[in-house]
Amino acid sequence: MHSGLDLRGTTRRHPVTAAACAVAGAVIAVAVAAVVVFQPFHRAPPDDCSAGELTVAGGTDVSLNSQRRSLIEDWNGGDRGARPKARLTEVSPLSDQQHSQLKAVEESGSCAYDVLILDGPWTAGFAAGGFLRPLDDIGSRPPDTKGFFPKGLAMGSYDHRQYALPFNLDVGLLYFRDKAKRPATPDAWPDDRYTAQLGDYEGLTVNALEAVWNHGGAGLLTGTAGTGRAELRDRVQPALEEVAKRMTRSGSPLLTSFQLGYQEQETIEAFARGGDDLAMRLWPYAYRNLANEPGLRDGGRLRFTVAAPPGDTVLGGQTLAISRHSRHAADALALIEYLTGDEAQKRLYSCGGFVPARASVFGLPPEPPRGAAATGIRTCSQLLKDDPRTRNDPDNPAGEPDAMTPERLTTLADAIVSALAGARPRPVTEHYDTFSTTFRGCARKIFSGEAVDAGRFAAAVEASLGGRAATC
């Protein structure tokens, strides 16, 4: 066991999988000077939908200092005029259960939920199912979409209409210990000195897609572009087999990640206690966790660096959509615009650890030129000090951990912006869950060294994109 802070208390399952450790219906995460207490999840939907209150439904608030909940409380206590108050209802912390529970409520026709927090890949399915209101169908004007990163805005679009606004984004980043080898080309990672998320969950889907894109399958299984059987057979499967070859050395971090089924928390722990030549693929939130680990700090210097991967990475994040059955659609849209506004997005980044959906948080235009550097980023303490509504916020008594200086927040922002240039969406399909389950099941067989028939692989993945369950 490594010395210093126990990372099992500081790490969290990421929003992409939204899996957080749950104990007796509540989660307590300790991050140096900040203590985060999560409210019990899966609060029952309200019985009376005509009550003057907006309900925001999503997974457990895993942001540092519960910033999502804090922002909704600010809405309740702020200058919202005659608009109703809002509350955050947390369903399951597990991604697949979140999807099932939110979908079940919408399929029932219930008006219990007004605003839905959706993982980016789910938006198409919920829109296709008739569960969401197009945003331009509410009120007298469409929402202002200027200032968002275009790729984030695209997550909320389906069939040429905007059904949601991006709440936060995500991109894969590479982390390196002091003596780790940096990949010079897209196909140079991961090598066997990487630790990654290779457990049987959405993290494996993400890592497998990145492997495909960077090992000969660029442009396949992404967005709305179709991928036929020939491409699946001749480019996708060989890309996965190429990565599988790097999992053959007994005891290598990459093989261990697969054999032990690492998710986000286990990946961070392995990186923190591993050797100085170790590398890691993970989301941006890990930077803050690692910066607060004493074993990874040498005085004022961090014993690791972060950078955008060469080549392509998965675009992640969550969107805010309005339920088709909401009786408060106009007020729900106003709440979404508040939660995606500049000030709220600044707090989600500096205080909550989320990648903002707005480029302005980094002092940049929506489509930053290559090599653009972030500017003007303030720490959580600075933001809270300047805001009279949160100056004495009991949920944030110490501000952000002292390791997150303006310089480190800027370093992380620069890596994020660079990675966004190569970020690709997962397949946009109303059957995404079926695809993800099938694709990662096939990837698991390939990574385990099993012989997988190329024709059967291609047929299974093609069928899953059309909503038909299949196996390799």
Side-chain angles (χ1 to χ4, degrees):
M1 195 70 180
H2 65 282
S3 60
L5 184 64
D6 184 353
L7 286 170
R8 287 173 298 181
T10 63
T11 55
R12 53 186 171 83
R13 303 292 191 211
H14 195 258
V16 168
T17 60
C21 296
V23 180
V27 180
I28 301 177
V30 182
V32 187
V35 177
V36 184
V37 179
F38 299 136
Q39 300 296 323
F41 61 79
H42 200 28
R43 184 177 179 180
D47 294 327
D48 182 7
C49 298
S50 63
E53 186 178 49
L54 298 171
T55 301
V56 182
T60 302
D61 181 5
V62 294
S63 58
L64 295 174
N65 296 321
S66 296
Q67 284 303 313
R68 287 180 168 175
R69 185 176 297 279
S70 179
L71 286 172
I72 290 176
E73 290 171 352
D74 287 349
W75 160 272
N76 292 339
D79 184 16
R80 53 187 167 77
R83 298 195 184 279
K85 291 185 176 182
R87 67 169 178 170
L88 177 63
T89 292
E90 297 172 336
V91 297
S92 172
L94 301 176
S95 180
D96 56 349
Q97 292 181 15
Q98 282 177 41
H99 182 274
S100 298
Q101 291 172 9
L102 293 175
K103 185 178 179 181
V105 170
E106 295 307 309
E107 285 180 329
S108 73
S110 171
C111 56
Y113 298 151
D114 298 290
V115 177
L116 305 178
I117 303 176
L118 302 175
D119 275 4
W122 301 348
T123 309
F126 274 69
F131 305 144
L132 308 180
R133 285 279 296 272
L135 299 185
D136 60 4
D137 195 31
I138 300 170
S140 58
R141 62 169 181 83
D144 182 6
T145 56
K146 296 177 182 177
F148 290 102
F149 285 111
K151 290 181 179 179
L153 201 60
M155 287 197 307
S157 176
Y158 177 72
D159 197 21
H160 308 293
R161 300 194 75 178
Q162 198 71 37
Y163 283 88
L165 293 181
F167 196 11
N168 61 273
L169 303 185
D170 242 332
V171 286
L173 297 178
L174 300 185
Y175 296 80
F176 306 99
R177 297 289 295 268
D178 283 348
K179 297 179 181 179
K181 181 180 179 182
R182 274 63 166 173
T185 58
D187 62 356
W189 70 283
D191 62 30
D192 69 356
R193 292 302 301 165
Y194 274 76
T195 181
Q197 304 78 61
L198 299 179
D200 187 10
Y201 77 117
E202 183 64 16
L204 177 57
T205 301
V206 165
N207 278 263
L209 284 172
E210 291 176 344
V212 168
W213 298 338
N214 293 302
H215 291 265
L220 303 179
L221 296 178
T222 179
T224 57
T227 302
R229 286 198 186 188
E231 293 170 315
L232 291 167
R233 181 188 64 238
D234 300 336
R235 295 175 61 193
V236 173
Q237 183 170 347
L240 296 175
E241 290 172 341
E242 176 58 35
V243 174
K245 294 176 184 177
R246 305 180 186 191
M247 296 185 183
T248 58
R249 186 170 64 84
S250 178
S252 73
L254 192 64
L255 180 59
T256 299
S257 298
F258 178 68
Q259 290 177 330
L260 298 186
Y262 280 3
Q263 297 190 19
E264 280 87 351
Q265 178 173 321
E266 294 84 4
T267 308
I268 294 179
E269 290 178 348
F271 183 78
R273 67 173 179 261
D276 282 344
D277 64 342
L278 192 61
M280 173 178 76
R281 181 265 178 225
L282 229 164
W283 307 103
Y285 84 94
Y287 184 90
R288 182 185 299 259
N289 293 71
L290 295 170
N292 284 296
E293 163 56 20
L296 293 178
R297 298 170 69 174
D298 183 7
R301 186 185 73 87
L302 298 181
R303 295 177 57 195
F304 70 94
T305 57
V306 63
D312 295 344
T313 180
V314 163
L315 174 72
Q318 294 178 303
T319 65
L320 293 171
I322 297 175
S323 168
R324 169 71 69 178
H325 310 295
S326 171
R327 297 182 182 177
H328 312 282
D331 293 326
L333 179 57
L335 174 60
I336 287 177
E337 291 180 309
Y338 171 79
L339 294 173
T340 58
D342 281 351
E343 295 307 311
Q345 290 288 304
K346 288 177 182 178
R347 283 180 56 189
L348 282 176
Y349 178 64
S350 293
C351 301
F354 282 113
V355 176
R358 288 186 176 272
S360 57
V361 172
F362 295 155
L364 296 171
E367 297 190 72
R370 184 174 295 275
T375 62
I377 298 177
R378 293 184 293 169
T379 67
C380 182
S381 291
Q382 290 170 333
L383 291 173
L384 297 181
K385 180 179 179 182
D386 293 344
D387 189 336
R389 294 171 301 173
T390 57
R391 188 173 295 148
N392 299 309
D393 188 343
D395 290 333
N396 298 280
E400 81 293 337
D402 59 6
M404 294 309 293
T405 63
E407 294 75 20
R408 288 173 182 163
L409 285 169
T410 301
T411 294
L412 178 60
D414 287 341
I416 290 169
V417 172
S418 180
L420 278 171
R424 302 287 176 259
R426 283 162 277 184
V428 176
T429 168
E430 54 265 41
H431 310 295
Y432 180 79
D433 272 13
T434 302
F435 160 76
S436 180
T437 300
T438 299
F439 179 66
R440 71 172 178 260
C442 293
R444 279 179 57 80
K445 284 194 172 184
I446 293 171
F447 289 165
S448 67
E450 291 186 42
V452 175
D453 179 77
R456 184 167 183 174
F457 171 89
V461 176
E462 183 184 55
S464 70
L465 289 167
R468 300 184 302 279
T471 66
C472 288

